[in-house]
Amino acid sequence: VDAVERLDAIEAIKQLKARYFRCVDTKDWVGLEAVFAPDVAIDITDDVPADRGGIVQGARAFVADASRSLGGMVTVHHGHVPEIEITSDTTARGIWPMEDMLQWQEGANAPREMHGYGHYRETYELLDGSWRIASMKLTRLRRDTAPV
Amino acid sequence: VDAVERLDAIEAIKQLKARYFRCVDTKDWVGLEAVFAPDVAIDITDDVPADRGGIVQGARAFVADASRSLGGMVTVHHGHVPEIEITSDTTARGIWPMEDMLQWQEGANAPREMHGYGHYRETYELLDGSWRIASMKLTRLRRDTAPV
Amino acid sequence: VDAVERLDAIEAIKQLKARYFRCVDTKDWVGLEAVFAPDVAIDITDDVPADRGGIVQGARAFVADASRSLGGMVTVHHGHVPEIEITSDTTARGIWPMEDMLQWQEGANAPREMHGYGHYRETYELLDGSWRIASMKLTRLRRDTAPV
């Protein structure tokens, strides 16, 4: 991979992840599914135990879960300056510092608010000319919750 | 536009918007005016109704408003990883996730603090060799205010 | 410096600073020392007076201080879209908007939490083929503390 191809791939992956954040927060579920490889492997066990859905296989299944759990909330997700490494013509990996705020409706039987911080560790694949998230694992530095 | 010119323009636009945020927060009003095309079209009607100043035409008018409304406050504005598309040799558009915190003086007849989240949707023009913001529209995901 | 070399250096410096933030927050002190030139000049006098350690010379001394003061805390540091200028083949400078959250253990004789905002102003050097932070000065826009 020459320098220009590498820089071009890094910029494409940054915009891919920016689209991930925007689609989650604007509830664009069709757009969200398109950022993932169809067989994406997702691990959010730092938030949700494995036996309660923290391991998800496939873009369709993950977006179905996300639309159900986040659809009725106000969410804000931010990605900060990442470390992205192009590992071949068609593969890459990256680490993204992140911050998220989830706000439940008043009266729900749950904390009204969660404000979290952590890192996404991801791999990427070039599929049919566009980069996709091939795997995504979230680890947390901190999680604050405010009671109803 | 070839790959290098495109990447160069994207980086220039990122630094342009970084300058926008820095100039607002350090109250560098001369620097702030310079990030805009002279005839910039601004739409902050998600924050301020149109009949109370939410539509502003021109860099000079916008900076006059901003210096008056924000000059006495502590402000923090952050832009997160953007989606920028170069649409021709001299035009581009972008979406910026953003977060802002405005802190009023104690005792003002207003909330003491506003903490907001949303997206800037912008267009850019290359004028005399430097990129400028040609239009800017802010939409909000969330706004929190704390009373005096 | 041609356009590709310049863009490549800018991306390398972004990833360098991303590594700085990640190493601080994951307490990777060996990794943290490696982001600095050995004789780095650090000025955090906006947080800590000069006679109490706000001026530090050398990567080893700074990392010794950081591991002592931050080692037992949960910290979150974020860097937002920067302005980076390549000033020669081997030197550069940059401005990074930043946000940090420090959380002390309950019961410590100190505020339990500090949440701050500001800018890093830095210079960089290319040493043995890799960019390093050669100087770093932090200025604050705002600092909030919450009492124990």
Side-chain angles (χ1 to χ4, degrees):
Chain A
V1 186
D2 79 12
V4 175
E5 288 168 343
R6 196 182 138 267
L7 291 169
D8 202 46
I10 289 173
E11 180 59 28
I13 289 167
K14 288 180 185 172
Q15 299 209 15
L16 175 75
K17 190 69 181 175
R19 224 158 68 225
Y20 165 89
F21 290 119
R22 178 172 53 80
C23 289
V24 171
D25 290 339
T26 62
K27 319 302 179 199
D28 176 353
W29 308 119
V30 173
L32 183 61
E33 188 174 333
V35 307
F36 295 111
D39 60 348
V40 62
I42 289 175
D43 178 344
I44 52 168
T45 49
D46 232 21
D47 276 2
V48 179
D51 61 2
R52 288 176 45 207
I55 300 283
V56 187
Q57 195 74 29
R60 186 146 305 172
F62 179 70
V63 172
D65 286 1
S67 64
R68 204 163 38 232
S69 61
L70 303 179
M73 292 182 194
V74 175
T75 65
V76 176
H77 288 77
H78 286 154
H80 305 297
V81 176
E83 298 168 76
I84 292 169
E85 185 186 356
I86 307 302
T87 49
S88 80
D89 277 4
T90 58
T91 58
R93 65 180 160 223
I95 305 175
W96 285 84
M98 62 81 71
E99 175 172 356
D100 57 348
M101 305 177 67
L102 310 182
Q103 199 172 44
W104 279 261
Q105 298 304 311
E106 289 284 338
N109 184 19
R112 200 181 62 82
E113 175 116 22
M114 195 284 292
H115 196 158
Y117 310 86
H119 293 95
Y120 288 110
R121 278 172 178 77
E122 302 186 321
T123 59
Y124 310 96
E125 288 174 9
L126 189 67
L127 291 181
D128 300 326
S130 65
W131 287 95
R132 305 288 189 95
I133 299 173
S135 68
M136 180 174 105
K137 181 179 170 61
L138 176 61
T139 56
R140 292 289 187 182
L141 291 167
R142 175 171 168 173
R143 280 167 56 92
D144 299 333
T145 52
V148 182
Chain B
V1 186
D2 78 14
V4 175
E5 288 169 343
R6 195 182 139 268
L7 291 170
D8 202 47
I10 289 173
E11 180 60 28
I13 289 168
K14 288 180 186 172
Q15 300 209 15
L16 175 74
K17 190 68 182 175
R19 224 158 68 225
Y20 165 88
F21 290 119
R22 178 172 53 82
C23 289
V24 170
D25 290 339
T26 61
K27 320 302 179 198
D28 175 353
W29 308 119
V30 173
L32 183 62
E33 189 173 334
V35 307
F36 295 111
D39 61 347
V40 62
I42 288 175
D43 178 344
I44 52 168
T45 49
D46 233 21
D47 276 1
V48 180
D51 61 2
R52 289 177 43 209
I55 300 282
V56 187
Q57 196 74 31
R60 185 145 306 172
F62 179 71
V63 172
D65 285 1
S67 64
R68 204 164 37 231
S69 61
L70 303 180
M73 290 182 195
V74 175
T75 65
V76 177
H77 288 77
H78 287 153
H80 305 297
V81 175
E83 297 168 77
I84 292 168
E85 184 185 357
I86 306 302
T87 49
S88 80
D89 277 5
T90 57
T91 58
R93 65 180 160 224
I95 306 175
W96 285 84
M98 62 80 72
E99 175 172 357
D100 58 348
M101 305 177 69
L102 310 183
Q103 199 173 44
W104 279 260
Q105 297 304 310
E106 288 284 338
N109 184 19
R112 198 180 62 83
E113 176 116 20
M114 196 283 293
H115 195 158
Y117 309 87
H119 294 95
Y120 288 111
R121 279 173 177 75
E122 302 187 322
T123 58
Y124 309 97
E125 287 173 10
L126 189 66
L127 290 181
D128 300 326
S130 64
W131 288 94
R132 306 288 188 96
I133 299 173
S135 69
M136 179 174 105
K137 180 179 170 62
L138 176 61
T139 56
R140 291 289 187 182
L141 292 168
R142 174 171 170 175
R143 281 168 56 92
D144 300 333
T145 53
V148 181
Chain C
V1 187
D2 79 13
V4 176
E5 287 168 344
R6 196 183 137 267
L7 291 169
D8 202 46
I10 289 173
E11 180 60 28
I13 289 167
K14 288 180 185 172
Q15 298 209 16
L16 175 75
K17 190 68 181 176
R19 224 157 69 224
Y20 165 88
F21 289 120
R22 178 173 53 81
C23 289
V24 170
D25 290 338
T26 61
K27 320 301 179 199
D28 176 353
W29 307 119
V30 173
L32 183 62
E33 188 174 335
V35 307
F36 295 112
D39 61 347
V40 62
I42 289 175
D43 177 344
I44 52 167
T45 49
D46 233 20
D47 276 1
V48 179
D51 61 2
R52 289 177 44 209
I55 300 281
V56 187
Q57 196 74 31
R60 186 145 305 172
F62 178 70
V63 173
D65 286 0
S67 64
R68 204 163 37 231
S69 61
L70 304 180
M73 291 183 195
V74 174
T75 65
V76 177
H77 287 77
H78 287 154
H80 305 297
V81 175
E83 298 168 75
I84 292 168
E85 185 186 357
I86 307 301
T87 49
S88 80
D89 277 4
T90 57
T91 58
R93 65 179 159 224
I95 306 175
W96 285 84
M98 63 81 71
E99 175 172 356
D100 57 349
M101 305 177 68
L102 310 183
Q103 199 173 44
W104 280 259
Q105 298 304 310
E106 289 285 338
N109 183 20
R112 198 181 62 84
E113 176 116 19
M114 194 284 292
H115 196 158
Y117 309 87
H119 294 95
Y120 288 111
R121 279 173 177 76
E122 303 186 323
T123 58
Y124 309 95
E125 287 173 11
L126 189 67
L127 290 181
D128 300 326
S130 65
W131 287 94
R132 306 287 189 97
I133 299 173
S135 68
M136 179 174 104
K137 181 180 169 62
L138 176 61
T139 57
R140 292 288 186 182
L141 291 167
R142 174 172 169 174
R143 279 167 56 92
D144 299 333
T145 52
V148 181

